[in-house]
Amino acid sequence: MYCVNVAINLPIKNLFRQYTYSVPDDMACLDVGWRCLVDFAGREVEGFVVARVPQPENLSKLKSVTRVIGSEPWFDAEMIATARWLSDYYMCSLAEAMRLFIPGKTSIRMTEKTVYAYGITDLGRELLQAGTGRAKLQLKALGILDNAGEPLTGAELLEQGISQAVMRGLAEKGAVQVSEKRVLRDSYFAHVAQDETLVLTEEQERAVADISRDMTEAKGSTYLLRGVTGSGKTEVYLRSAARALEMGRQVLVLVPEIALTAQLVERFKARFGNRIAVAHSKLSRNERGDVWFKMRSGLTRILIGVRSAVFAPFQNLGLVIIDEEHENSYKQEERPGYHARKVAEQRCRHAGATLVLGSATPSLESYYGVLQGKIKELTLTGRPLGQPLPKVEIVDMRQELANRNFGVLSDRIRKGLENTVAQGEQAIMLLNRRGYSTFVMCRDCGHTIICDHCDVAMVYHTAGQSLRCHYCGKTLRVPQECPSCHSRRIKFFGTGTQKAEEELGTIAGLRPLRMDQDSTQRKFAHEEIIRDFKAGNYNALVGTQMVAKGHDIPKVTFVGVLSADSSLHLPDFRATERTFDLLTQAAGRAGRGEKPGKVVFQTYDAESPVLRYAAEQDYVGFAKEELRTRKEYGYPPFCEMLKLIVLDEVAGNALNLGQRIVNFLHTKENAEQGIEVLGPFPALVGKVRDYYRFNILIKGKDLSGVKARLLNSEFKSLRNVYFDVDPSSVI
Ligand code: ADP
Ligand code: ZN
Ligand code: ZN
């Protein structure tokens, strides 16, 4: 008999330690990486075996494992190593890190399509050889199994005249072993569709060659594939993936959001047919379980998925591609707040797999990695057919006001749209605010309508003539009079996508279609909108940032950004980078077909260097300048950053707790190591869903010591303190 240490899979924050259980003799397969059921505080819960340990002296105190889950270990050594790294780096328990690797968080009541299969044991073979006269059917069954050379399901045995009862009898004797065998929903393999008809450009050729060589030599390098929008990055992914398959290795392709990258999925499907599996966030637990099984068993060779697919099991991972690697959605906002790029780096390191990060506007972290020589850069400098990048014009809205144009659209955009109609082409208009008006204010006393539960203005939506809170979803009828002074002079201010859509509708011949969070609630709504637009049923697409991403629509020749500086002045160190990314991506939607594209940025801040860099699509110029600023002010990637968020229904309590944490961190050692502790200060939106929020920011060259101290403190298990490692924003 032996014992195991088990990480308990419960979503409880303070379960940082593991528990020892003894292993009964009939479960002697149980070892590191297996899942099991154990009794924990009177409940039967799932546990992950993380170590085999010697028997303690006082065995009687130990409970024993109740049941083994599955017929093989779930976690291999690489997954366990990655989980251990996750729990240290992202300050979560080992169980919290490990449950990320399980489809659907818990597997206890997994009702996957599991059927039982019977395999012959050594004892069974002995019985078969001895050929004892009686129990003819049992002998026949053993003969069939011995011949088959693999476990057979009850159904397969029944076809050959063997009933369940016969098998049960054999199982009781120990002549056969029962295991789970999955029935896959589709295990059909198509041949690789060989549509590699394009002739690669020299730059593409070189990128594929470098990546392939790295895979052949199993070097596990990281590459940054930096190529302007439409430069043929996807083609490089496809060819590199094909090389990986030829080497018998598996490929993981991460995308920011499946709905917005339907085209990439289509192209992979066209080339690799059924050799790919897709894991998006709307899969049911069963479907996800199937996908995981196909990858683990090696039945499927390419997995395309969103952030969480970085935790899929693999048999022989050779290549990981992260498309649009700068996208925010790769960072999980809930606990544990991991970044898929960092997790992918770990997994690639353990598996000897090559990592390819693709973007037209790489994250400054990745670009800094290139400058430091840690990441190898591959560039695609032009579009394959030599199409020019769109010409971008910056329109100063202050000038429009001076010319007595008080509308949403500048003269330049209006003309551009009229021209689009005249030429029978299409346009995309970006406005990063949904709703109709962005706030409602009383003309007499200046009162704005704020959500009761959150510290933000409510937004007017035309649907139901309602005011909505974009943080908690609360809705109100528009009041007839001001709640503060009872004046009836209530006025709507600011422009959201609904109002923009209405304005566009006034241009003769323009048929606008809106895409934002409100119009894409239904499943597949994104895809339908893009399909409708692509089919030409509408000639203008207006919406929030989702209109700027990923699509390749050849007839789009005109792009307008209605408020190019809207996110620029947020008090956040990433605001500039986000603005640059969004503008560059938006501009990149224009002129992807035969005709060149035109782009207009409307702004009240026409001198902003960010807008200029974006207008010129000058990533390197932007990145160098922004990195200088980050260095000067001590922001990532020049330091590590940790944000602590303290929440409480009473503002004073949150502030006090925040202050206690800050005092705890203001130590001599921290000061000597140059670790800065800032705050607590109220979050930009100081209250959300009735909870006040205060932030603490910790910056330093190496925060591992600070993290370890916090994990040894009383604060680690407080429910209202959240650790956000490498936060995506500081506000
Ligand atoms: P990106 O992913 O960089 O935005 P894509 O891979 O989508 O760019 O390529 C843009 C367009 O150029 C696609 O329509 C693609 O089929 C085409 N393309 C890519 N590589 C080549 C090539 N070598 N020759 C001709 N066309 C190409
Ligand atoms: Zn008023
Ligand atoms: Zn609210």
Side-chain angles (χ1 to χ4, degrees):
M1 203 172 14
Y2 58 99
C3 295
V4 287
N5 281 352
V6 173
I8 306 293
N9 181 14
L10 280 180
I12 302 176
K13 227 180 124 171
N14 52 11
L15 261 185
F16 270 79
R17 51 173 294 226
Q18 283 104 50
Y19 295 82
T20 304
Y21 288 85
S22 65
V23 179
D25 288 337
D26 61 342
M27 297 184 196
C29 60
L30 201 67
D31 208 331
V32 174
W34 286 69
R35 298 174 305 166
C36 58
L37 289 185
V38 294
D39 178 273
F40 182 77
R43 273 217 279 163
E44 193 159 78
V45 297
E46 185 184 32
F48 310 128
V49 178
V50 295
R52 217 175 144 130
V53 290
Q55 248 175 47
E57 296 195 345
N58 191 349
L59 202 59
S60 62
K61 275 199 175 158
L62 282 189
K63 287 183 216 158
S64 59
V65 171
T66 322
R67 217 186 89 193
V68 175
I69 300 178
S71 52
E72 56 184 353
W74 184 269
F75 300 92
D76 60 23
E78 181 265 303
M79 290 157 102
I80 292 176
T82 304
R84 283 195 189 280
W85 168 83
L86 266 158
S87 79
D88 288 342
Y89 190 83
Y90 289 111
M91 306 177 76
C92 62
S93 70
L94 187 55
E96 265 181 297
M98 291 177 86
R99 70 208 302 264
L100 293 168
F101 291 84
I102 306 280
K105 302 280 178 2
T106 169
S107 50
I108 300 178
R109 266 169 288 278
M110 271 214 288
T111 51
E112 289 173 10
K113 277 196 165 182
T114 303
V115 296
Y116 290 99
Y118 302 89
I120 189 165
T121 62
D122 286 346
L123 178 66
R125 281 195 196 89
E126 277 172 34
L127 289 178
L128 183 63
Q129 270 169 13
T132 28
R134 279 174 290 164
K136 271 197 174 147
L137 277 174
Q138 289 193 353
L139 280 179
K140 181 178 171 195
L142 290 174
I144 292 170
L145 288 177
D146 196 36
N147 255 332
E150 61 170 354
L152 295 180
T153 63
E156 286 164 337
L157 287 161
L158 201 59
E159 276 175 16
Q160 308 197 39
I162 308 292
S163 71
Q164 287 287 126
V166 172
M167 295 317 294
R168 227 177 291 127
L170 284 169
E172 276 162 19
K173 278 187 186 164
V176 296
Q177 195 177 29
V178 186
S179 62
E180 290 176 355
K181 179 167 175 172
R182 265 166 246 252
V183 181
L184 295 180
R185 274 149 240 255
D186 75 70
S187 50
Y188 164 74
F189 288 80
H191 292 289
V192 182
Q194 290 290 349
D195 72 335
E196 296 196 354
T197 45
L198 287 180
V199 179
L200 292 189
T201 63
E202 249 172 59
E203 288 178 327
Q204 285 174 320
E205 195 79 65
R206 204 197 122 205
V208 174
D210 283 10
I211 293 166
S212 305
R213 190 168 347 98
D214 201 81
M215 288 194 287
T216 314
E217 295 169 8
K219 279 205 175 142
S221 309
T222 302
Y223 289 90
L224 175 64
L225 179 64
R226 183 165 64 78
V228 294
T229 48
S231 59
K233 295 184 290 295
T234 311
E235 194 58 39
V236 173
Y237 303 156
L238 289 163
R239 302 283 175 119
S240 307
R243 298 298 102 83
L245 297 201
E246 284 163 21
M247 296 173 202
R249 303 185 73 178
Q250 287 175 305
V251 180
L252 169 65
V253 184
L254 294 181
V255 293
E257 216 180 304
I258 293 284
L260 298 179
T261 42
Q263 287 182 350
L264 184 136
V265 175
E266 288 310 312
R267 284 168 71 182
F268 267 84
K269 276 194 177 150
R271 194 150 312 175
F272 300 106
N274 283 347
R275 312 223 299 188
I276 71 166
V278 180
H280 52 79
S281 52
K282 288 184 180 126
L283 282 187
S284 72
R285 186 191 291 176
N286 292 348
E287 290 168 325
R288 206 174 162 76
D290 272 6
V291 169
W292 261 214
F293 178 71
K294 287 185 198 168
M295 299 318 296
R296 171 194 294 283
S297 60
L299 284 175
T300 296
R301 312 287 295 285
I302 300 179
L303 174 62
I304 303 181
V306 292
R307 180 178 73 217
S308 57
V310 77
F311 296 105
F314 294 97
Q315 198 187 51
N316 187 5
L317 185 63
L319 175 66
V320 177
I321 293 163
I322 306 186
D323 188 33
E324 307 289 0
E325 66 93 29
H326 62 279
E327 280 280 341
N328 245 343
S329 55
Y330 288 122
K331 166 93 162 99
Q332 166 151 300
E333 293 301 336
E334 312 94 69
R335 251 186 96 87
Y338 69 86
H339 197 296
R341 192 200 309 126
K342 275 211 107 91
V343 180
E345 277 168 17
Q346 292 294 321
R347 296 205 70 178
C348 286
R349 179 172 309 162
H350 290 297
T354 302
L355 177 59
V356 175
L357 310 172
S359 178
T361 55
S363 64
L364 288 175
E365 278 82 356
S366 297
Y367 191 62
Y368 185 59
V370 169
L371 297 180
Q372 285 182 307
K374 291 182 180 164
I375 296 180
K376 298 173 189 166
E377 189 177 37
L378 301 166
T379 46
L380 304 180
T381 47
R383 291 183 169 174
L385 301 177
Q387 304 99 312
L389 285 176
K391 268 189 88 66
V392 183
E393 200 180 319
I394 297 175
V395 169
D396 189 341
M397 291 305 276
R398 288 168 301 189
Q399 205 53 50
E400 296 289 313
L401 288 180
N403 297 340
R404 308 203 58 74
N405 175 7
F406 304 113
V408 178
L409 306 177
S410 61
D411 199 41
R412 188 63 200 77
I413 286 200
R414 196 169 275 277
K415 292 229 167 73
L417 289 168
E418 284 164 2
N419 186 50
T420 304
V421 174
Q423 302 289 322
E425 291 164 3
Q426 290 183 306
I428 292 180
M429 294 289 122
L430 166 70
L431 176 62
N432 217 0
R433 274 174 301 198
R434 62 195 175 92
Y436 189 87
S437 297
T438 47
F439 64 103
V440 179
M441 194 169 84
C442 166
R443 283 232 149 159
D444 286 318
C445 75
H447 179 86
T448 8
I449 298 184
I450 302 286
C451 175
D452 286 346
H453 306 283
C454 312
D455 210 359
V456 288
M458 298 192 78
V459 176
Y460 175 61
H461 284 250
T462 42
Q465 303 276 305
S466 60
L467 293 179
R468 278 191 220 158
C469 170
H470 284 184
Y471 281 77
C472 72
K474 184 190 160 115
T475 46
L476 278 183
R477 296 294 300 277
V478 177
Q480 296 294 310
E481 56 180 47
C482 167
S484 172
C485 75
H486 303 289
S487 154
R488 296 196 138 240
R489 302 208 320 144
I490 300 232
K491 174 108 167 91
F492 301 116
F493 292 88
T495 302
T497 43
Q498 293 182 348
K499 189 162 158 190
E501 181 188 14
E502 194 177 280
E503 287 247 351
L504 292 174
T506 65
I507 294 174
L510 202 67
R511 298 181 308 279
L513 177 63
R514 180 165 52 87
M515 181 158 89
D516 56 23
Q517 211 175 307
D518 302 308
S519 71
T520 53
Q521 297 271 324
R522 277 176 311 108
K523 209 173 169 175
F524 303 125
H526 271 114
E527 288 88 334
E528 282 169 24
I529 290 177
I530 292 293
R531 204 181 314 126
D532 247 18
F533 182 58
K534 209 171 176 176
N537 299 335
Y538 298 85
N539 54 8
L541 183 68
V542 54
T544 51
Q545 53 184 7
M546 49 183 90
V547 303
K549 294 177 181 172
H551 350 286
D552 186 10
I553 301 170
K555 278 184 85 180
V556 173
T557 50
F558 187 54
V559 166
V561 182
L562 301 187
S563 177
D565 49 277
S566 65
S567 56
L568 189 55
H569 301 295
L570 283 176
D572 188 72
F573 74 101
R574 285 193 217 271
T576 325
E577 182 179 4
R578 290 231 177 85
T579 303
F580 177 82
D581 289 353
L582 183 59
L583 294 178
T584 311
Q585 299 283 345
R589 296 311 115 208
R592 295 170 75 97
E594 282 162 23
K595 292 188 78 177
K598 281 205 171 142
V599 181
V600 173
F601 295 162
Q602 290 188 175
T603 177
Y604 286 98
D605 190 1
E607 285 79 42
S608 160
V610 186
L611 263 60
R612 306 245 153 231
Y613 284 124
E616 280 154 27
Q617 319 250 309
D618 179 8
Y619 174 79
V620 172
F622 164 75
K624 295 217 158 128
E625 176 160 343
E626 183 59 16
L627 282 171
R628 263 197 299 279
T629 312
R630 297 263 184 105
K631 188 171 189 178
E632 188 178 333
Y633 294 100
Y635 277 112
F638 296 94
C639 67
E640 290 189 2
M641 194 188 272
L642 167 63
K643 178 166 84 170
L644 270 57
I645 305 162
V646 184
L647 303 162
D648 203 292
E649 282 174 289
V650 179
N653 291 351
L655 186 59
N656 287 343
L657 176 56
Q659 195 57 56
R660 261 175 56 216
I661 299 175
V662 169
N663 294 346
F664 172 80
L665 293 171
H666 271 153
T667 61
K668 220 174 105 216
E669 293 117 283
N670 277 351
E672 279 166 7
Q673 286 171 25
I675 287 172
E676 271 183 85
V677 182
L678 310 168
F681 41 78
L684 184 68
V685 177
K687 187 176 80 170
V688 174
R689 293 175 197 268
D690 293 318
Y691 277 82
Y692 290 89
R693 308 161 70 92
F694 285 82
N695 291 338
I696 298 168
L697 274 190
I698 306 164
K699 299 199 285 184
K701 279 264 174 273
D702 177 5
L703 293 184
S704 51
V706 174
K707 288 181 187 172
R709 265 203 88 213
L710 281 167
L711 286 179
N712 277 318
S713 74
E714 55 172 318
F715 304 117
K716 85 164 178 214
S717 45
L718 293 182
R719 272 185 43 243
N720 55 343
V721 177
Y722 174 66
F723 300 138
D724 189 2
V725 178
D726 303 333
S728 61
S729 86
V730 297
I731 49 183

